[in-house]
Amino acid sequence: MDINYKKPARLGDIIDVTTNVAGMTNATITLRHKILRGAMPIVEANVKIACIDRKGKPQRLPEVFSQLEV
């Protein structure tokens, strides 16, 4: 996870959160998150999620993920 906190959000602020698929391999998905207060970006984050089996070894993502647009 790579997070860049730019500005704080305060109680009562209305924020918009967007998430896009930034990349995908056979066993990982990278998501790009943006949080805005109005037009001002307050947080940007990249999150890499790995698919693993019960033993902690990488495994292929389920077939449903292959339908996502990158």
Side-chain angles (χ1 to χ4, degrees), residues 14-64:
I14 296 175
I15 59 173
D16 291 307
V17 180
T18 59
T19 301
N20 296 307
V21 177
M24 193 170 7
T25 68
N26 289 331
T28 67
I29 297 176
T30 302
L31 302 174
R32 181 169 293 128
H33 304 283
K34 284 189 177 184
I35 302 175
L36 305 170
R37 183 179 54 232
M40 179 176 294
I42 59 174
V43 176
E44 293 178 349
N46 290 314
V47 178
K48 185 177 255 188
I49 301 168
C51 190
I52 58 173
D53 65 16
R54 292 182 185 264
K55 295 178 182 176
K57 306 246 183 197
Q59 70 175 32
R60 285 191 169 274
L61 291 167
E63 187 67 30
V64 69

